[in-house]
Coordinates of all heavy atoms in Angstrom, one line a residue:
D8 N 139.3 94.4 79.9 CA 139.0 94.8 78.5 C 137.5 94.7 78.2 O 136.9 95.3 77.3 CB 139.8 94.0 77.5 CG 141.2 94.3 77.5 OD1 141.6 95.4 78.2 OD2 142.0 93.6 76.9
R9 N 136.8 93.8 78.9 CA 135.4 93.5 78.7 C 134.5 94.5 79.3 O 133.3 94.5 79.1 CB 135.0 92.1 79.2 CG 135.7 91.0 78.4 CD 135.4 89.6 79.0 NE 134.0 89.4 79.1 CZ 133.4 88.4 79.8 NH1 134.2 87.7 80.6 NH2 132.1 88.2 79.8
V10 N 135.0 95.4 80.2 CA 134.3 96.4 80.9 C 134.2 97.7 80.1 O 135.2 98.2 79.6 CB 134.9 96.7 82.2 CG1 134.1 97.9 83.0 CG2 135.0 95.5 83.1
I11 N 132.9 98.1 79.8 CA 132.7 99.3 79.1 C 132.0 100.3 80.0 O 130.9 100.1 80.4 CB 131.8 99.0 77.8 CG1 132.6 98.0 76.9 CG2 131.4 100.2 77.1 CD1 131.8 97.4 75.8
V12 N 132.6 101.4 80.3 CA 132.1 102.5 81.1 C 131.1 103.3 80.3 O 131.4 103.7 79.1 CB 133.2 103.3 81.8 CG1 132.6 104.3 82.7 CG2 134.2 102.4 82.5
T13 N 130.0 103.7 80.8 CA 128.9 104.3 80.1 C 128.4 105.5 80.8 O 128.6 105.7 82.0 CB 127.8 103.4 79.8 OG1 127.2 102.9 81.0 CG2 128.2 102.2 78.9
S14 N 127.7 106.4 80.1 CA 127.0 107.5 80.7 C 125.7 107.1 81.4 O 124.6 107.3 80.8 CB 126.7 108.6 79.7 OG 128.0 109.1 79.1
G15 N 125.8 106.5 82.6 CA 124.7 105.9 83.2 C 124.3 104.6 82.6 O 124.7 104.3 81.5
S16 N 123.5 103.8 83.3 CA 123.1 102.5 82.8 C 122.2 102.7 81.6 O 122.1 101.9 80.7 CB 122.4 101.7 83.8 OG 121.2 102.3 84.3
S17 N 121.5 103.9 81.5 CA 120.7 104.1 80.3 C 121.5 104.1 79.0 O 121.0 103.5 78.0 CB 120.0 105.5 80.4 OG 119.2 105.5 81.6
S18 N 122.7 104.6 79.0 CA 123.5 104.6 77.8 C 123.9 103.1 77.6 O 124.1 102.7 76.4 CB 124.7 105.5 78.0 OG 124.4 106.8 78.1
A19 N 124.1 102.4 78.6 CA 124.5 101.0 78.4 C 123.4 100.2 77.7 O 123.6 99.4 76.9 CB 124.8 100.3 79.8
F20 N 122.1 100.5 78.1 CA 121.0 99.9 77.4 C 121.0 100.2 75.9 O 120.8 99.4 75.1 CB 119.7 100.2 78.1 CG 119.5 99.7 79.5 CD1 119.2 100.5 80.5 CD2 119.6 98.3 79.7 CE1 119.0 100.0 81.8 CE2 119.5 97.8 81.0 CZ 119.2 98.6 82.0
L21 N 121.2 101.5 75.6 CA 121.3 101.9 74.2 C 122.4 101.2 73.5 O 122.1 100.7 72.4 CB 121.5 103.4 74.2 CG 120.3 104.3 74.4 CD1 120.8 105.8 74.6 CD2 119.3 104.3 73.3
L22 N 123.5 101.1 74.1 CA 124.6 100.4 73.4 C 124.3 98.9 73.3 O 124.6 98.3 72.2 CB 125.9 100.6 74.2 CG 126.6 102.0 74.2 CD1 127.7 102.0 75.2 CD2 127.1 102.3 72.8
A23 N 123.8 98.3 74.3 CA 123.5 96.9 74.3 C 122.5 96.5 73.2 O 122.7 95.6 72.4 CB 123.1 96.4 75.7
F24 N 121.4 97.3 73.2 CA 120.3 97.0 72.3 C 120.8 97.3 70.8 O 120.4 96.6 69.9 CB 119.1 97.8 72.6 CG 118.5 97.5 74.0 CD1 117.6 98.4 74.6 CD2 118.7 96.3 74.6 CE1 117.0 98.1 75.8 CE2 118.1 96.0 75.8 CZ 117.3 96.9 76.4
S25 N 121.6 98.3 70.7 CA 122.1 98.6 69.3 C 123.1 97.5 68.8 O 123.1 97.2 67.6 CB 122.8 100.0 69.3 OG 121.9 101.0 69.6
A26 N 123.9 97.0 69.7 CA 124.9 96.0 69.4 C 124.3 94.6 69.1 O 124.8 93.9 68.3 CB 126.0 95.9 70.5
L27 N 123.2 94.3 69.8 CA 122.7 93.0 69.8 C 121.6 92.7 68.8 O 121.4 91.6 68.2 CB 122.2 92.6 71.2 CG 123.2 92.4 72.2 CD1 122.5 92.2 73.6 CD2 124.0 91.1 71.9
F28 N 120.8 93.8 68.5 CA 119.5 93.6 67.7 C 119.4 94.4 66.5 O 119.9 95.5 66.4 CB 118.3 93.8 68.7 CG 118.4 93.1 70.0 CD1 118.4 93.8 71.2 CD2 118.5 91.7 70.0 CE1 118.5 93.1 72.4 CE2 118.6 91.0 71.2 CZ 118.6 91.7 72.4
D29 N 118.6 93.9 65.5 CA 118.3 94.7 64.3 C 116.8 95.1 64.4 O 116.0 94.6 65.2 CB 118.4 93.8 63.1 CG 119.9 93.5 62.8 OD1 120.7 94.4 62.9 OD2 120.2 92.3 62.6
A30 N 116.5 96.2 63.6 CA 115.2 96.8 63.6 C 114.1 95.7 63.5 O 114.2 94.8 62.6 CB 115.0 97.8 62.5
G31 N 113.1 95.7 64.3 CA 112.0 94.7 64.3 C 112.2 93.5 65.2 O 111.3 92.8 65.4
D32 N 113.4 93.3 65.7 CA 113.7 92.2 66.5 C 112.8 92.3 67.8 O 112.5 93.4 68.3 CB 115.1 92.1 66.9 CG 116.0 91.5 65.9 OD1 115.5 91.0 64.8 OD2 117.3 91.5 66.0
R33 N 112.4 91.1 68.3 CA 111.5 91.0 69.5 C 112.3 90.7 70.7 O 113.1 89.8 70.7 CB 110.5 90.0 69.2 CG 109.5 90.3 68.1 CD 108.7 89.1 67.7 NE 108.0 88.4 68.8 CZ 106.8 88.7 69.3 NH1 106.1 89.7 68.8 NH2 106.3 88.0 70.3
V34 N 112.2 91.6 71.7 CA 113.0 91.5 72.9 C 112.1 91.3 74.1 O 111.2 92.2 74.3 CB 113.9 92.7 73.1 CG1 114.8 92.5 74.4 CG2 114.9 92.8 71.9
G35 N 112.2 90.2 74.9 CA 111.3 90.0 76.0 C 111.8 90.7 77.3 O 113.0 90.9 77.5
L36 N 110.8 91.1 78.1 CA 111.0 91.7 79.4 C 109.9 91.3 80.3 O 108.8 91.3 80.0 CB 111.1 93.2 79.2 CG 110.0 94.0 78.5 CD1 109.5 95.2 79.3 CD2 110.5 94.4 77.1
G37 N 110.3 91.0 81.5 CA 109.3 90.6 82.5 C 108.5 91.8 82.9 O 108.9 92.9 83.0
E38 N 107.2 91.5 83.2 CA 106.3 92.5 83.7 C 105.7 92.0 85.0 O 105.3 90.9 85.1 CB 105.1 92.7 82.7 CG 105.6 93.4 81.4 CD 104.5 93.6 80.4 OE1 103.4 92.9 80.5 OE2 104.7 94.4 79.5
P39 N 105.8 92.9 86.1 CA 106.3 94.2 86.1 C 107.8 94.4 85.9 O 108.5 93.5 86.3 CB 105.8 94.8 87.4 CG 105.9 93.5 88.3 CD 105.4 92.4 87.5
G40 N 108.2 95.5 85.3 CA 109.6 95.7 85.1 C 109.9 97.1 84.8 O 109.0 98.0 84.7
Y41 N 111.2 97.5 84.8 CA 111.6 98.8 84.6 C 111.0 99.4 83.2 O 111.3 98.8 82.2 CB 113.1 98.9 84.5 CG 113.8 100.2 84.3 CD1 113.5 101.3 85.2 CD2 114.7 100.4 83.3 CE1 114.1 102.5 85.0 CE2 115.3 101.7 83.2 CZ 115.0 102.7 84.0 OH 115.6 103.9 83.8
P42 N 110.3 100.5 83.3 CA 109.5 100.9 82.1 C 110.4 101.4 80.9 O 110.0 101.3 79.8 CB 108.7 102.1 82.6 CG 109.3 102.5 83.9 CD 110.0 101.3 84.5
S43 N 111.6 101.9 81.2 CA 112.4 102.4 80.2 C 113.0 101.4 79.2 O 113.3 101.7 78.1 CB 113.6 103.3 80.7 OG 113.1 104.5 81.3
Y44 N 113.0 100.1 79.7 CA 113.4 99.0 78.7 C 112.5 99.1 77.5 O 113.0 99.1 76.3 CB 113.2 97.6 79.3 CG 113.9 97.3 80.5 CD1 113.4 96.3 81.4 CD2 115.2 97.8 80.8 CE1 114.0 95.9 82.6 CE2 115.9 97.4 82.0 CZ 115.3 96.4 82.9 OH 115.9 96.0 84.0
R45 N 111.2 99.1 77.8 CA 110.2 99.1 76.7 C 110.3 100.3 75.8 O 110.3 100.2 74.6 CB 108.8 99.1 77.3 CG 107.7 98.9 76.3 CD 106.3 98.9 77.0 NE 106.2 97.7 78.0 CZ 106.3 97.9 79.3 NH1 106.4 99.1 79.9 NH2 106.2 96.8 80.1

């Protein structure tokens, strides 16, 4: 039940970021890293 199938991992990022964060929230990412996170 915890598995959510998505349209590519890109859609998973959209869902994850939408579910976890509100506008303006600061999210850290290591650099160098996958550019589409940013």
Side-chain angles (χ1 to χ4, degrees):
D8 291 346
R9 295 173 57 195
V10 177
I11 297 170
V12 184
T13 61
S14 299
S16 62
S17 299
S18 296
F20 292 126
L21 283 169
L22 288 173
F24 297 159
S25 298
L27 290 170
F28 308 120
D29 291 314
D32 281 355
R33 293 165 52 87
V34 181
L36 50 134
E38 291 176 343
Y41 181 56
S43 292
Y44 301 150
R45 186 181 299 107

